[in-house]
Amino acid sequence: MISIDSVAYMSKLKKMEPRQKLAFALVTLGTCIWADYVIVSVAVIFIMGFTTVCRGGVPLRTFLRLFTVPMSFLLLSVITIAVNVSELPELLLISIPLSGKWIGVTRHGLHEAAGLFLKALGAVSCLYFLSLNTPMVDVLAALRKLKAPKLLVELMGLVYRFIFVLLETSNTIITAQNARLGYTRLSTGYHALGMLASSLFIRTYKRSDELYTALESRGYDGELNVLEEPYDSSLTGCAAAAAVNTVLILASIYLK
Amino acid sequence: MDLSKRVQLFLCISVLVLLIPLKADAMHIMEGFLPPMWCLVWGLLTLPFVVIGLKSIKRIIAENPRLKILLAMAGAFAFVLSALKLPSVTGSCSHPTGVGFGAILFGPTVMSVLGLIVLLFQSLLLAHGGLTTLGANTFSMAVVGPLVAYGVFVLVRKMRGSQSMAIFLGAALGDLLTYMTTSVQLALAFPAEIGGFAASMAKFMGIFAVTQIPLAVSEGILTVLIFNAIAAYGKDELKLLKFFPEGGMNHVK
């Protein structure tokens, strides 16, 4: 139902120690944002693309298609940053007059916007590496080992499991509503969506109540403990990750 | 640099064509968009709210352990709601945030924790938002939004406004303030070259206001519809919710 989730379970890097993947993704992400260099950003996109597609065995199409998800936000914001309003047209590279003022782009603004565009895509590729190769259960295991607040991790685990139950319910309801022309007009759309959300909520509530009763009758005392799968930790993976980041950091220091 | 009328017209049209299909749905700041300093600042600003939220959840659970499962279900509900398409006044579709709904039902402190979890899952499972921008997004969506929604709801109820009015205004204003906070965050991180923070703020507000005001109204209407339906069909089942803060579900008739 959630494509990223199912891809993560099929990844060849699934067995790898999640803390290693987390560290690699986050350190590279940090480097990419800190360096703020076009070359570094492009390098990060390629490195993450290579590891995800060649090492993780994630289809290239899936990886590329994900880049369209944040595109509307990215384009809108980058254009907003690049376009400036000024009273002096000399400051602007290209400009359009509008009621006594000039709207246009400056050379510096264009550079900044292009750099930002690539930097954000580089950062996003790090996020995709993590989420396409690490099932959520493993992320939670890593968080638990990293001593994140117990209550938070437990709530996250529960939320994750409930998401799929609710998605299935809501999909069934949406199909039923569509079959009865529920979303053909705006007014009926509102009505249908209101019905969907409220009945989903009431079902959610009942289900949680039943679940608690079921858990309690099996000796639930406030904690759900499950066995964790064994993970492979590879030294070569660590070394490669460290090497990649050292090169990136040195390159950006040199460029600065 | 003087451009001929024809070129100007062409530029105008191409900008419009570029902007029209971009519906600013799921207005989370994307991964890697904010400079490191602002990631830290917003993260640190959000932290106390999450800590307070966790403490209040602990207290609620100690009182009634059944509510832990309910809160987790509520988090999953918010996630599923955010993955749905919302029919908007302009005819386009976008995501309902569910911020107002959760805040009115559970109170703002609980929502900061649930919001954090939902935003983390959205970034990892749906590629909406990001890890470095988690602090900023949590601040706008799970701290400012719920506080405003809850505050407005309580205020309107105190002033003897009707139930529906309070829910509508709470949800709509909570939604709007969430997006305004996002604009402020973007403007602070990217002050305009000409005119600085104020000019940048005007740009972001201008662009997002156009898309967000209709959305906020839709969100308000939808929240009222949801509350009405729940009050009509689920009143008996929802008795447990009286453990939540004053002004919550127990006020719905």
Side-chain angles (χ1 to χ4, degrees):
Chain A
M1 251 174 289
I2 295 175
S3 62
I4 294 182
D5 192 64
S6 47
V7 170
Y9 274 100
M10 288 187 285
S11 161
K12 282 187 233 158
L13 292 175
K14 179 185 173 284
K15 282 256 166 230
M16 202 176 154
E17 166 70 50
R19 275 177 293 176
Q20 264 181 31
K21 285 183 275 187
L22 199 64
F24 178 49
L26 291 183
V27 171
T28 317
L29 179 59
T31 309
C32 177
I33 297 180
W34 165 79
D36 197 5
Y37 251 100
V38 172
I39 304 167
V40 175
S41 308
V42 174
V44 168
I45 299 177
F46 276 104
I47 291 165
M48 287 302 175
F50 173 77
T51 9
T52 312
V53 175
C54 299
R55 285 289 139 81
V58 173
L60 183 63
R61 265 188 57 201
T62 314
F63 185 70
L64 290 180
R65 213 181 47 217
L66 272 181
F67 279 97
T68 57
V69 174
M71 213 37 103
S72 65
F73 172 84
L74 187 57
L75 284 178
L76 199 62
S77 312
V78 162
I79 292 171
T80 312
I81 289 167
V83 174
N84 274 302
V85 180
S86 168
E87 278 161 17
L88 303 165
E90 298 85 59
L91 289 174
L92 302 167
L93 203 63
I94 308 169
S95 53
I96 309 165
L98 192 89
S99 63
K101 297 206 172 167
W102 295 78
I103 297 179
V105 290
T106 58
R107 190 179 292 275
H108 178 77
L110 269 184
H111 271 278
E112 199 190 9
L116 184 62
F117 185 80
L118 285 171
K119 186 178 77 169
L121 286 187
V124 157
S125 68
C126 299
L127 175 68
Y128 292 166
F129 162 76
L130 181 68
S131 56
L132 288 173
N133 292 305
T134 326
M136 192 54 91
V137 179
D138 294 355
V139 175
L140 294 180
L143 283 178
R144 209 169 293 132
K145 280 181 195 150
L146 292 170
K147 303 268 182 285
K150 220 174 171 186
L151 179 64
L152 190 67
V153 179
E154 208 192 330
L155 272 177
M156 284 171 68
L158 288 170
V159 170
Y160 174 68
R161 276 158 215 284
F162 295 156
I163 279 173
F164 294 92
V165 180
L166 292 188
L167 265 183
E168 202 184 335
T169 315
S170 83
N171 281 341
T172 315
I173 298 177
I174 289 172
T175 310
Q177 288 180 324
N178 268 328
R180 290 162 182 77
L181 306 177
Y183 293 100
T184 40
R185 273 183 302 138
L186 192 62
S187 58
T188 55
Y190 270 100
H191 185 65
L193 200 60
M195 297 263 281
L196 166 65
S198 55
S199 62
L200 194 64
F201 185 79
I202 294 169
R203 272 185 207 207
T204 303
Y205 181 85
K206 277 187 183 159
R207 211 173 256 242
S208 79
D209 214 38
E210 287 160 11
L211 186 71
Y212 186 81
T213 312
L215 280 171
E216 207 174 29
S217 63
R218 287 161 182 79
Y220 178 69
D221 61 349
E223 264 177 57
L224 285 173
N225 293 309
V226 285
L227 288 174
E228 270 161 27
E229 278 183 73
Y231 299 111
D232 313 332
S233 56
S234 74
L235 268 179
T236 40
C238 277
V244 161
N245 275 295
T246 319
V247 169
L248 285 177
I249 291 171
L250 285 179
S252 42
I253 288 174
Y254 175 72
L255 283 167
K256 274 183 183 177
Chain B
M1 201 163 293
D2 218 13
L3 290 171
S4 73
K5 277 261 146 60
R6 196 171 294 173
V7 176
Q8 286 177 16
L9 192 70
F10 172 74
L11 277 176
C12 276
I13 290 173
S14 51
V15 165
L16 275 179
V17 168
L18 263 175
L19 288 180
I20 284 170
L22 299 177
K23 290 149 208 148
D25 48 12
M27 268 297 308
H28 305 340
I29 301 177
M30 74 177 284
E31 181 68 277
F33 205 75
L34 290 180
M37 189 190 74
W38 289 108
C39 298
L40 283 178
V41 167
W42 294 113
L44 288 177
L45 275 176
T46 311
L47 203 60
F49 290 97
V50 174
V51 171
I52 293 171
L54 273 176
K55 279 203 177 126
S56 100
I57 290 183
K58 251 185 204 148
R59 214 178 39 240
I60 290 170
I61 291 173
E63 215 172 304
N64 187 347
R66 205 168 267 268
L67 289 172
K68 187 199 268 178
I69 309 287
L70 177 63
L71 281 179
M73 278 277 186
F77 176 75
F79 179 91
V80 172
L81 203 65
S82 74
L84 293 176
K85 297 282 183 201
L86 169 82
S88 160
V89 177
T90 46
S92 65
C93 280
S94 194
H95 300 259
T97 57
V99 164
F101 177 75
I104 293 168
L105 207 53
F106 297 112
T109 48
V110 172
M111 271 311 281
S112 58
V113 178
L114 287 186
L116 172 72
I117 295 175
V118 171
L119 284 167
L120 183 66
F121 280 165
Q122 282 181 339
S123 64
L124 285 176
L125 295 174
L126 300 177
H128 290 162
L131 299 176
T132 54
T133 52
L134 193 62
N137 285 331
T138 311
F139 190 80
S140 65
M141 286 249 165
V143 174
V144 173
L147 277 176
V148 170
Y150 188 73
V152 169
F153 175 77
V154 172
L155 198 73
V156 175
R157 287 305 283 162
K158 279 240 169 76
M159 286 157 61
R160 305 242 167 260
S162 76
Q163 176 90 47
S164 307
M165 202 55 186
I167 294 172
F168 173 77
L169 285 177
L173 288 176
D175 211 36
L176 208 59
L177 263 286
T178 300
Y179 295 119
M180 280 166 86
T181 313
T182 307
S183 302
V184 171
Q185 287 169 339
L186 288 172
L188 279 173
F190 303 100
E193 224 181 313
I194 305 158
F197 169 72
S200 180
M201 184 77 201
K203 285 195 290 180
F204 279 113
M205 283 280 194
I207 290 215
F208 293 139
V210 178
T211 48
Q212 294 313 328
I213 288 173
L215 274 187
V217 173
S218 318
E219 174 98 13
I221 296 171
L222 196 69
T223 311
V224 173
L225 286 176
I226 296 174
F227 264 100
N228 284 346
I230 288 179
Y233 303 121
K235 209 177 150 204
D236 298 334
E237 284 88 359
L238 299 175
K239 276 175 290 194
L240 258 184
L241 288 177
K242 68 173 181 285
F243 282 91
F244 288 95
E246 226 9 58
M249 194 64 197
N250 41 346
H251 283 215
V252 173
K253 298 186 202 74

